[in-house]
Every structure is written in C-alpha cells, then in structure tokens.
Amino acid sequence: MKIGILTSGGDCPGLNAVIRGFAKYVFNEIKDAELIGISDGYLGLINKDVKKMKPSDFSGILNVGGTILGTSRQPFKSMTDEDRNGQSKLDMMKKNYNALGLDLLVTLGGAGTHKTAALLSSVGLNVIGIPKTIDNDIYGTDVTFGFHTAVDIATECIDRIHTTAASHGRTMLIEIMGNKVGWLTLYAGIAGGADIILLPEIP
C-alpha cells in the first residue's frame, strides 16, 4: 500500500506528533506499506514535490513545533480554475496522485484543507482528512488538535494582563482569533476569568 501524507494551511501545535503517530501505525501495522511525504501541502502534490519516508524520519519530532513536511495555503476557490493550457490545480493533483501510484492521501488541515480534500474525493481519489485547527471549527469533531494548546497560551496571556489592568485601574478588551467561531474565546475567557465574553455566535 502506498500512502501520501501532507500538511496544509497554517501550522499549529501537534502537527508533528500526529504525523509521527500515523507513521508509527503505518510502519508497524500495514505490511509492505510505503509512506510518501508531500512537501508544502497541496502545492507539493501540484508540483510533485515528494519523497519516500522511512521510520527514522519520524524520530525525535514528538515535541517539535511546526511540521516536518512544510505547509502552504492553496485557496480552495482557485482549485478548479484552468491555466492557459486548460489544466487546473485539481487536474494536476489527480494526475500526480495517479503517477505516484498512491492508494490513499492523508491530509492534515483545517476547513480549507478539508474542502479541497472533499473535492479530490469527488474525482475518485481516496482521501482521509485529519482535522487540525486552533479554531476548533471543523464540523463533525468535538475537539481538533491544536485547540487545547491555543487555549492554554491565550489563557496565560489573559492571566498576565490582569495585573496591568489592576495596576492602572483599566478595563482591558482582549481580542482572540477563532475565524468565525467563538470556541477559543469562550474557553480562554472562562479560564482567564473574563467578566464579559463576546462570541460571534451571539449577536
């Protein structure tokens, strides 16, 4: 079995840990499996920038930030746009998937990554999407990896702002990212003792 793996979109905590866990499963449980690392997300699949991975490639990466595979953003909206040769990024990815002889593509990413994964699946590719985002905004998942670390860091920042607010007698307004959802704001706000928490889900 030949499996391709890529990370796409923004990096977040836990990417290398998940890559390592998946690789350990593949090498230990699937006889004669090959794992093909695809560089820089979907860009690597478009350009056929790949390398055969071996077990030693995944050693010592458990607590390393970022992603050993590299990542990039490839907007979902442009995946079916044709170039002057009449080829789209979707066409090139499907062509390279087949040229590499892949049986499966594993994608680690957020909402945009999963939209593209669904598009690849719709044209006949076997795809498994692993939900990665600090925003925790992927349908069908309770918690995405990267979310809890983001909550911890945001809470620590809020904790530090308390003393400045008290020293100066100020009210602090803290903005936390989260795309279009308030999970990160809600969790960090509660953990950090916010008096008021404003969420996009509640006008």
Side-chain angles (χ1 to χ4, degrees):
M1 189 174 196
K2 208 169 184 182
I3 303 168
I5 184 168
L6 62 81
T7 53
S8 178
D11 72 325
C12 84
L15 273 171
N16 283 328
V18 174
I19 292 168
R20 175 184 175 272
F22 181 77
K24 284 179 78 70
Y25 174 82
V26 168
F27 289 125
N28 291 332
E29 301 295 331
I30 303 175
K31 189 178 179 184
D32 299 324
E34 282 185 54
L35 195 53
I36 307 299
I38 300 169
S39 298
D40 301 326
Y42 290 119
L43 184 64
L45 189 56
I46 292 165
N47 296 329
K48 206 174 172 186
D49 184 6
V50 303
K51 79 168 191 173
K52 184 176 177 181
M53 309 290 284
K54 51 191 185 296
S56 60
D57 292 325
F58 304 96
S59 179
I61 67 168
L62 185 60
N63 297 313
V64 176
T67 163
I68 62 167
L69 298 173
T71 188
S72 67
R73 293 187 187 276
Q74 295 297 313
F76 169 74
K77 291 178 182 177
S78 68
M79 285 298 169
T80 54
D81 294 345
E82 294 182 351
D83 61 18
R84 58 181 151 212
N85 299 318
Q87 271 202 321
S88 68
K89 291 178 180 178
L90 178 62
D91 295 330
M92 288 185 272
M93 287 191 287
K94 182 177 180 181
K95 177 183 171 185
N96 288 331
Y97 176 100
N98 291 324
L100 290 164
L102 296 180
D103 298 296
L104 172 67
L105 175 66
V106 176
T107 64
L108 288 73
T113 300
H114 280 71
K115 285 180 186 177
T116 299
L119 193 61
L120 291 168
S121 177
S122 74
V123 295
L125 279 58
N126 295 319
V127 185
I128 293 176
I130 301 177
K132 172 269 323 173
T133 169
I134 70 167
D135 304 322
N136 200 36
D137 64 348
I138 297 180
Y139 176 80
T141 60
D142 290 325
V143 178
T144 57
F145 73 89
F147 173 66
H148 281 307
T149 305
V151 170
D152 291 344
I153 292 169
T155 301
E156 183 181 337
C157 292
I158 294 169
D159 288 342
R160 293 180 182 202
I161 289 172
H162 277 291
T163 53
T164 301
S167 297
H168 293 274
R170 292 177 181 167
T171 297
M172 295 293 193
L173 178 63
I174 302 162
E175 184 179 5
I176 296 176
M177 67 182 293
N179 198 10
K180 297 173 183 174
V181 300
W183 288 112
L184 188 51
T185 305
L186 179 64
Y187 274 56
I190 291 171
D195 296 297
I196 298 170
I197 303 172
L198 305 176
L199 305 176
E201 291 89 342
I202 304 173

